[in-house]
Amino acid sequence: FTGELAARAATAGGRVIAIDPSPEDELVELARRSPELELIREPSLEALRRIEPADAVIVDGDHNYFTVSNELRLIEERAAGTPPLLLLHDVCWPHARRDTYYAPDRIPERDRQPLVESAALVPGEPGVAHGGLRYPWAAAREGGPRNGVLTAIEDFVGARSGLRLAIVPIFYGLGVVWPLGAPWAGSVAAIVDPLDRDPVLERVEAHRIANLVERYRHAQELGEIEIMRRERGRDAERVRLLRTILGSRAFAWGERLSRLRKGGRPTFSRDEVRRALGDDADAGR
């Protein structure tokens, strides 16, 4: 997506600033060969304090209330009180009403939701599930105050006059926020209004998410089956080795010598091997 923006900037005389504290090699290479693209390798809450105001800002970073609300605040401050065009990803499930975190230690403890590590999330389940979409860290519960991306956006817009929020409910949801008094406000509304909370798109997204969750569940089940197969394979190898020991003359002589040295109680006996194999009926032969 940054590549698309850079290509557009190259033809329109624009400039793109990408903020990423841990950029992938592809983005680093794109910045190297694109003079219209500046890459800032810092967390957003640090970079936004000093970069120049922008005409449009795309927010798609750490998906939690603390980060998003502070990103919006800093963007507004840099724009001298009137936010630019804002495009915000992940405003629908699963991030709308539930915080997730890339690095929880970057969030002040008082601003973090109770966390679950490697959380599996499923639509309609406010807690966590056995199988579903997995996130490194997620809020233990969905909903409630100061929880989720959409909650942060709604609180930001609700505390200010003259801002409009539209939601395109597909591919995890795109939120569009813009000042109604901007000279280009009508052009944005003409594009976004037909898609805003469209029920057909909502149904399409619900089906897409359901299929995605089911696929992840199957993948997890297959992974667990493979682990069980490996364990069974290791168990079979252990049984084979133990039965080989039972038939070994060397082990039999070793047991006899151990009985003589230990006063009739060997360190390790064939009866113990048989019990480990479940051959209790054979023990004592």
Side-chain angles (χ1 to χ4, degrees), residues 130 134 215-232 234:
H130 174 66
R134 264 187 203 284
R215 194 168 67 192
Y216 270 75
R217 278 178 165 168
H218 284 312
Q220 182 178 338
E221 288 170 0
L222 289 173
E224 290 175 351
I225 289 171
E226 180 60 27
I227 290 171
M228 290 171 64
R229 284 176 180 163
R230 291 175 183 173
E231 286 297 323
R232 283 198 296 268
R234 284 192 282 267

Side-chain angles (χ1 to χ4, degrees), residues 63-65 94-102 104 111-122 125-129 133 135-149:
H63 302 111
N64 56 75
Y65 185 96
H95 301 293
R97 308 297 182 189
R98 189 197 296 259
D99 280 359
T100 58
Y101 306 87
Y102 290 122
D111 295 303
R112 288 199 305 260
Q113 294 287 332
L115 291 177
V116 174
E117 187 175 7
S118 188
L121 308 183
V122 174
E125 169 55 67
V128 295
L133 302 191
Y135 293 89
W137 294 96
R141 301 289 296 181
E142 183 179 35
R146 303 178 66 82
N147 194 9
V149 171

Side-chain angles (χ1 to χ4, degrees), residues 140-270:
R141 301 289 296 181
E142 183 179 35
R146 303 178 66 82
N147 194 9
V149 171
L150 183 56
T151 305
I153 298 168
E154 288 175 341
D155 287 354
F156 177 81
V157 172
R160 292 155 179 82
S161 61
L163 292 182
R164 165 86 188 277
L165 166 63
I167 296 174
V168 184
I170 194 71
F171 295 113
Y172 302 116
L174 173 69
V176 185
V177 176
W178 69 97
L180 294 174
W184 38 263
S187 298
V188 173
I191 296 171
V192 175
D193 278 348
L195 306 173
D196 186 14
R197 299 169 176 86
D198 180 76
V200 175
L201 291 182
E202 288 176 347
R203 289 197 294 273
V204 170
E205 177 69 354
H207 284 291
R208 187 186 74 86
I209 291 292
N211 290 331
L212 191 61
V213 168
E214 194 63 23
R215 194 168 67 192
Y216 270 75
R217 278 178 165 168
H218 284 312
Q220 182 178 338
E221 288 170 0
L222 289 173
E224 290 175 351
I225 289 171
E226 180 60 27
I227 290 171
M228 290 171 64
R229 284 176 180 163
R230 291 175 183 173
E231 286 297 323
R232 283 198 296 268
R234 284 192 282 267
D235 287 344
E237 180 63 16
R238 295 186 190 105
V239 168
R240 186 189 69 77
L241 289 172
L242 288 172
R243 292 200 180 281
T244 300
I245 288 172
L246 279 177
S248 167
R249 289 186 177 181
F251 183 78
W253 277 106
E255 181 184 356
R256 291 171 188 169
L257 289 173
S258 181
R259 285 183 187 277
L260 291 173
R261 292 176 180 174
K262 300 289 184 178
R265 300 186 64 177
T267 303
F268 192 64
S269 70
R270 284 175 294 174

Side-chain angles (χ1 to χ4, degrees), residues 1-11 14-18 26-39:
F1 184 55
T2 307
E4 295 291 332
L5 293 174
R8 172 64 178 166
T11 60
R15 183 175 170 223
V16 178
I17 299 173
E26 185 179 3
L27 179 56
V28 174
E29 174 58 22
L30 179 65
R32 187 192 64 78
R33 56 184 170 82
S34 303
E36 60 281 341
L37 173 60
E38 178 185 357
L39 175 58

Side-chain angles (χ1 to χ4, degrees), residues 82-96:
T82 303
L85 174 64
L86 299 171
L87 305 172
L88 304 107
H89 195 216
D90 295 294
V91 301
C92 294
W93 191 90
H95 301 293

